[in-house]
Amino acid sequence: MVNPAQALRSKNSAAETSALKTALLAKGAFTDLETLLTLRHVAADLKLWPLKPSLATQAGSTRTRFRGRGMEFEEVRVYQPGDDIRTIDWRVTARTQVPHTKLFREERERPTLIVFDQRSSLFFGSQRCFKSVLAAHIGVLIAWASLQHSDRVGGLVFGDTHHQDVRPQKSKHAVLELVKVINQFNHQLKSPDKNTGDQSISLSQLLEDTRRLAKPGTAVYIISDFQDLLTETKNDISKQLYLLARHCEVTLFQVFDPLERRIDTPGFFTVSDGNRRAQIKGDDKHLNDSLQAQFDNVINTLKHITGPLRINHAMFSTADDELQQLRQIFRK
């Protein structure tokens, strides 16, 4: 196996670079702290282009669709009462005999808040990694990429019964703290059958806590499997997403495993929740139809909620390359 740290210190050939990227892909049942830290190198060229105008009030390095005073020229228009006289375009004014002013694209800060779902339903996987590990890798890649853009970076990490937040800061220490927390929560997972009763944190509670921490103009990335949509009241989740999307740019990253959609392998398999065991037939039509219906129900419900709110939604499989998918999503 390629050692990521050693490979990055050397001048990589094409083969070494490919091997490095493969070594840094999400894999296994638990996260690896060294791999999460090394992801900062492959995240350096990941461009998180903002999909909506920034509402933040502090100046920063993110280009927005706001027009005003800034460094990059946008357009010339007729002078209006209240415009800064220092931006009058005297050449156009002299030529047209009508006062015109220059407009520039403002640069505003865009804080980044990453919400990691590390509850028991994500402690499952049949391909390269568990859903919980994939969610951690996606979030950490976004965190390192946001720091490269000089954005303030923070996050919330949710377990079954508690959560921990890292306040957004423009500092490498904030990302390192976030990586530490996500690694700790991930290694506390034990079973996809949570058995935590009424104490379990629901998706609507997760969204409500996120809304309290996210300031206007924040880019919020929520990474979860959204399995709560099968059990929770849809109106509660829809309400929280609506309130969050009013002032923030919200992106939902849904992680899933192909086995949750269909079992194509023939034969009998033994499944267990830790206490009981049962056998299932892999290519059973009734079972596969049921799995497909549940899977489609989650996706359709999520699209029904996010569509009117214009919330971005993308899906990540445990069998795919998460870095390549992120590049496709954020390509300009």
Side-chain angles (χ1 to χ4, degrees):
M1 175 180 174
V2 176
N3 185 306
Q6 292 179 353
L8 287 167
R9 285 194 292 266
S10 64
K11 293 184 178 179
N12 300 325
S13 66
E16 290 173 333
T17 301
S18 177
L20 171 62
K21 291 180 179 179
T22 302
L24 292 177
L25 288 176
K27 60 176 65 68
F30 295 101
T31 56
D32 176 69
L33 184 59
E34 182 180 354
T35 301
L36 295 179
L37 294 173
T38 311
L39 285 176
R40 67 186 184 275
H41 298 288
V42 295
D45 60 344
L46 185 62
K47 306 299 182 183
L48 304 181
W49 301 110
L51 305 178
K52 293 182 181 178
S54 174
L55 301 177
T57 56
Q58 297 183 13
S61 60
T62 300
R63 295 177 58 202
T64 79
R65 298 175 195 171
F66 284 98
R67 294 186 178 122
R69 296 191 62 196
M71 296 298 294
E72 186 173 343
F73 175 73
E74 179 71 20
E75 64 178 346
V76 174
R77 64 159 169 78
V78 175
Y79 178 86
Q80 298 176 3
D83 287 344
D84 193 332
I85 61 173
R86 292 175 294 181
T87 60
I88 291 179
D89 190 324
W90 295 107
R91 290 188 178 182
V92 177
T93 298
R95 186 172 66 250
T96 62
Q97 297 300 304
V98 176
H100 281 71
T101 184
K102 296 178 181 178
L103 295 181
F104 298 86
R105 183 180 294 275
E106 291 190 17
E107 294 180 347
R108 297 194 179 186
E109 185 183 59
R110 190 184 72 148
T112 299
L113 185 68
I114 307 162
V115 181
F116 297 83
D117 189 348
Q118 290 292 296
R119 295 176 298 168
S120 293
S121 66
L122 280 86
F123 193 62
F124 173 79
S126 65
Q127 301 296 311
R128 192 183 66 243
C129 65
F130 277 22
K131 293 187 293 181
S132 51
V133 176
L134 178 60
H137 272 243
I138 294 170
V140 170
L141 281 168
I142 293 173
W144 286 122
S146 298
L147 187 64
Q148 292 282 345
H149 299 167
S150 299
D151 291 333
R152 287 190 290 130
V153 184
L156 287 91
V157 184
F158 285 85
D160 287 317
T161 59
H162 66 291
H163 73 276
Q164 185 171 339
D165 65 80
V166 176
R167 300 283 170 160
Q169 300 178 49
K170 192 185 296 185
S171 166
K172 183 172 71 174
H173 297 291
V175 180
L176 292 175
E177 178 65 20
L178 190 58
V179 169
K180 175 184 174 183
V181 172
I182 183 64
N183 189 64
Q184 289 176 344
F185 271 69
N186 182 267
H187 282 255
Q188 291 172 3
L189 289 169
K190 296 180 180 179
S191 169
D193 183 23
K194 51 190 174 186
N195 291 321
T196 52
D198 296 335
Q199 296 181 347
S200 178
I201 296 176
S202 65
L203 180 60
S204 57
Q205 290 174 309
L206 181 152
L207 295 172
E208 185 176 359
D209 289 333
T210 301
R211 183 168 58 84
R212 289 175 181 154
L213 188 62
K215 303 298 182 183
T218 300
V220 180
Y221 299 93
I222 302 174
I223 311 168
S224 173
D225 60 359
F226 300 101
Q227 291 295 322
D228 306 61
L229 291 171
L230 296 174
T231 57
E232 281 193 55
T233 304
K234 311 299 187 296
N235 290 339
D236 293 341
I237 298 174
S238 180
K239 176 183 176 182
Q240 293 300 330
L241 281 173
Y242 166 74
L243 294 173
L244 184 62
R246 287 175 62 187
H247 304 293
C248 300
E249 178 189 324
V250 182
T251 300
L252 305 182
F253 287 149
Q254 181 182 1
V255 294
F256 72 96
D257 187 88
L259 202 62
E260 295 176 316
R261 182 166 51 186
R262 186 174 185 83
I263 304 176
D264 290 321
T265 306
F268 288 89
F269 301 89
T270 301
V271 296
S272 172
D273 61 1
N275 298 314
R276 298 165 297 174
R277 288 189 177 186
Q279 275 197 333
I280 61 173
K281 191 168 184 270
D283 54 355
D284 182 80
K285 184 178 185 303
H286 178 72
L287 173 63
N288 281 319
D289 288 345
S290 177
L291 289 173
Q292 187 69 54
Q294 288 188 3
F295 187 81
D296 292 341
N297 186 20
V298 174
I299 297 175
N300 293 335
T301 302
L302 202 56
K303 288 182 177 179
H304 178 74
I305 294 174
T306 59
L309 302 178
R310 301 182 66 183
I311 292 177
N312 306 302
H313 170 237
M315 300 181 64
F316 288 77
S317 169
T318 56
D320 296 332
D321 184 330
E322 62 272 13
L323 179 60
Q324 184 61 31
Q325 285 184 270
L326 284 172
R327 285 174 175 162
Q328 292 177 355
I329 292 170
F330 290 105
R331 63 185 175 186
K332 193 175 179 181

Short mmCIF file of all heavy atoms in Angstrom, two decimals, residues 11-37:
data_model
loop_
_atom_site.label_atom_id
_atom_site.label_comp_id
_atom_site.label_asym_id
_atom_site.label_seq_id
_atom_site.Cartn_x
_atom_site.Cartn_y
_atom_site.Cartn_z
N LYS A 11 8.53 13.54 -5.81
CA LYS A 11 8.01 14.01 -7.10
C LYS A 11 7.27 12.85 -7.75
O LYS A 11 7.87 11.90 -8.24
CB LYS A 11 9.17 14.49 -7.98
CG LYS A 11 9.85 15.74 -7.45
CD LYS A 11 10.92 16.22 -8.40
CE LYS A 11 11.58 17.50 -7.89
NZ LYS A 11 12.65 17.97 -8.79
N ASN A 12 5.98 12.94 -7.74
CA ASN A 12 5.18 11.81 -8.18
C ASN A 12 5.12 11.69 -9.69
O ASN A 12 4.94 12.68 -10.39
CB ASN A 12 3.75 11.95 -7.64
CG ASN A 12 3.72 11.98 -6.13
OD1 ASN A 12 4.51 11.31 -5.49
ND2 ASN A 12 2.81 12.77 -5.59
N SER A 13 5.26 10.48 -10.17
CA SER A 13 4.96 10.19 -11.56
C SER A 13 3.46 10.04 -11.69
O SER A 13 2.72 10.08 -10.71
CB SER A 13 5.67 8.90 -11.98
OG SER A 13 5.13 7.80 -11.26
N ALA A 14 2.97 9.86 -12.91
CA ALA A 14 1.54 9.69 -13.12
C ALA A 14 1.03 8.46 -12.37
O ALA A 14 -0.04 8.48 -11.77
CB ALA A 14 1.24 9.57 -14.61
N ALA A 15 1.82 7.38 -12.41
CA ALA A 15 1.41 6.15 -11.73
C ALA A 15 1.38 6.35 -10.22
O ALA A 15 0.48 5.88 -9.53
CB ALA A 15 2.37 5.01 -12.08
N GLU A 16 2.39 7.07 -9.68
CA GLU A 16 2.43 7.32 -8.24
C GLU A 16 1.28 8.21 -7.80
O GLU A 16 0.70 8.02 -6.74
CB GLU A 16 3.77 7.95 -7.86
CG GLU A 16 4.95 7.00 -7.96
CD GLU A 16 6.26 7.72 -7.74
OE1 GLU A 16 6.32 8.93 -8.01
OE2 GLU A 16 7.23 7.08 -7.29
N THR A 17 0.95 9.21 -8.64
CA THR A 17 -0.16 10.10 -8.32
C THR A 17 -1.48 9.33 -8.29
O THR A 17 -2.31 9.53 -7.39
CB THR A 17 -0.25 11.24 -9.35
OG1 THR A 17 0.97 11.97 -9.35
CG2 THR A 17 -1.40 12.17 -9.02
N SER A 18 -1.66 8.45 -9.25
CA SER A 18 -2.86 7.64 -9.29
C SER A 18 -2.93 6.73 -8.08
O SER A 18 -4.00 6.55 -7.47
CB SER A 18 -2.90 6.81 -10.58
OG SER A 18 -4.01 5.97 -10.60
N ALA A 19 -1.80 6.13 -7.72
CA ALA A 19 -1.76 5.24 -6.55
C ALA A 19 -2.04 6.02 -5.27
O ALA A 19 -2.70 5.52 -4.35
CB ALA A 19 -0.41 4.55 -6.46
N LEU A 20 -1.56 7.27 -5.22
CA LEU A 20 -1.80 8.11 -4.05
C LEU A 20 -3.28 8.41 -3.88
O LEU A 20 -3.84 8.30 -2.78
CB LEU A 20 -1.01 9.42 -4.18
CG LEU A 20 -1.30 10.50 -3.14
CD1 LEU A 20 -0.96 10.00 -1.74
CD2 LEU A 20 -0.55 11.77 -3.46
N LYS A 21 -3.93 8.78 -4.98
CA LYS A 21 -5.35 9.08 -4.91
C LYS A 21 -6.15 7.86 -4.48
O LYS A 21 -7.12 7.96 -3.73
CB LYS A 21 -5.84 9.60 -6.27
CG LYS A 21 -5.29 10.97 -6.64
CD LYS A 21 -5.80 11.42 -7.98
CE LYS A 21 -5.27 12.81 -8.34
NZ LYS A 21 -5.74 13.25 -9.67
N THR A 22 -5.74 6.69 -4.97
CA THR A 22 -6.41 5.47 -4.58
C THR A 22 -6.22 5.20 -3.09
O THR A 22 -7.15 4.77 -2.39
CB THR A 22 -5.88 4.28 -5.40
OG1 THR A 22 -6.09 4.53 -6.79
CG2 THR A 22 -6.58 2.99 -5.01
N ALA A 23 -5.01 5.48 -2.60
CA ALA A 23 -4.72 5.24 -1.18
C ALA A 23 -5.51 6.17 -0.28
O ALA A 23 -5.79 5.83 0.87
CB ALA A 23 -3.22 5.42 -0.92
N LEU A 24 -5.90 7.34 -0.78
CA LEU A 24 -6.61 8.32 0.02
C LEU A 24 -8.12 8.19 -0.08
O LEU A 24 -8.85 8.96 0.56
CB LEU A 24 -6.18 9.74 -0.38
CG LEU A 24 -4.74 10.12 -0.03
CD1 LEU A 24 -4.43 11.52 -0.54
CD2 LEU A 24 -4.51 10.04 1.47
N LEU A 25 -8.62 7.27 -0.89
CA LEU A 25 -10.06 7.07 -0.97
C LEU A 25 -10.60 6.52 0.35
O LEU A 25 -9.88 5.84 1.09
CB LEU A 25 -10.40 6.10 -2.11
CG LEU A 25 -10.22 6.62 -3.54
CD1 LEU A 25 -10.50 5.50 -4.53
CD2 LEU A 25 -11.13 7.81 -3.81
N ALA A 26 -11.86 6.84 0.63
CA ALA A 26 -12.49 6.30 1.83
C ALA A 26 -12.52 4.78 1.75
O ALA A 26 -12.90 4.21 0.73
CB ALA A 26 -13.91 6.87 1.96
N LYS A 27 -12.15 4.13 2.83
CA LYS A 27 -12.14 2.66 2.84
C LYS A 27 -12.26 2.16 4.28
O LYS A 27 -11.92 2.86 5.24
CB LYS A 27 -10.89 2.10 2.19
CG LYS A 27 -9.59 2.53 2.86
CD LYS A 27 -8.39 1.86 2.22
CE LYS A 27 -8.18 2.27 0.80
NZ LYS A 27 -7.78 3.70 0.68
N GLY A 28 -12.80 0.97 4.43
CA GLY A 28 -12.87 0.34 5.74
C GLY A 28 -14.09 0.75 6.55
O GLY A 28 -14.94 1.52 6.11
N ALA A 29 -14.15 0.23 7.77
CA ALA A 29 -15.28 0.49 8.66
C ALA A 29 -15.07 1.72 9.52
O ALA A 29 -16.04 2.28 10.04
CB ALA A 29 -15.51 -0.73 9.56
N PHE A 30 -13.82 2.15 9.67
CA PHE A 30 -13.53 3.31 10.51
C PHE A 30 -12.56 4.25 9.78
O PHE A 30 -11.78 3.82 8.92
CB PHE A 30 -12.93 2.89 11.85
CG PHE A 30 -13.87 2.11 12.72
CD1 PHE A 30 -13.77 0.72 12.79
CD2 PHE A 30 -14.85 2.74 13.46
CE1 PHE A 30 -14.63 -0.01 13.59
CE2 PHE A 30 -15.73 2.02 14.26
CZ PHE A 30 -15.62 0.64 14.32
N THR A 31 -12.60 5.51 10.15
CA THR A 31 -11.71 6.50 9.54
C THR A 31 -10.28 6.31 10.03
O THR A 31 -10.04 5.77 11.12
CB THR A 31 -12.17 7.92 9.89
OG1 THR A 31 -12.26 8.06 11.31
CG2 THR A 31 -13.52 8.24 9.26
N ASP A 32 -9.35 6.79 9.22
CA ASP A 32 -7.94 6.78 9.58
C ASP A 32 -7.48 8.22 9.72
O ASP A 32 -7.60 9.01 8.78
CB ASP A 32 -7.11 6.06 8.51
CG ASP A 32 -5.62 6.11 8.82
OD1 ASP A 32 -5.19 5.47 9.79
OD2 ASP A 32 -4.90 6.82 8.09
N LEU A 33 -6.98 8.60 10.89
CA LEU A 33 -6.65 9.99 11.18
C LEU A 33 -5.58 10.53 10.23
O LEU A 33 -5.68 11.65 9.73
CB LEU A 33 -6.19 10.13 12.63
CG LEU A 33 -5.88 11.55 13.11
CD1 LEU A 33 -7.10 12.45 12.97
CD2 LEU A 33 -5.40 11.52 14.56
N GLU A 34 -4.56 9.74 9.95
CA GLU A 34 -3.49 10.19 9.06
C GLU A 34 -4.01 10.47 7.65
O GLU A 34 -3.63 11.44 7.00
CB GLU A 34 -2.37 9.15 9.00
CG GLU A 34 -1.19 9.58 8.12
CD GLU A 34 -0.10 8.54 8.06
OE1 GLU A 34 -0.18 7.53 8.78
OE2 GLU A 34 0.86 8.74 7.27
N THR A 35 -4.93 9.62 7.19
CA THR A 35 -5.51 9.81 5.86
C THR A 35 -6.34 11.09 5.81
O THR A 35 -6.27 11.85 4.85
CB THR A 35 -6.38 8.61 5.47
OG1 THR A 35 -5.58 7.43 5.46
CG2 THR A 35 -6.98 8.81 4.08
N LEU A 36 -7.13 11.34 6.85
CA LEU A 36 -7.94 12.56 6.90
C LEU A 36 -7.06 13.80 6.87
O LEU A 36 -7.41 14.81 6.25
CB LEU A 36 -8.81 12.57 8.15
CG LEU A 36 -9.90 11.49 8.25
CD1 LEU A 36 -10.65 11.62 9.56
CD2 LEU A 36 -10.86 11.57 7.07
N LEU A 37 -5.92 13.76 7.53
CA LEU A 37 -5.00 14.90 7.54
C LEU A 37 -4.33 15.07 6.17
O LEU A 37 -4.14 16.19 5.70
CB LEU A 37 -3.94 14.72 8.62
CG LEU A 37 -4.45 14.73 10.07
CD1 LEU A 37 -3.32 14.36 11.04
CD2 LEU A 37 -5.04 16.09 10.42
#
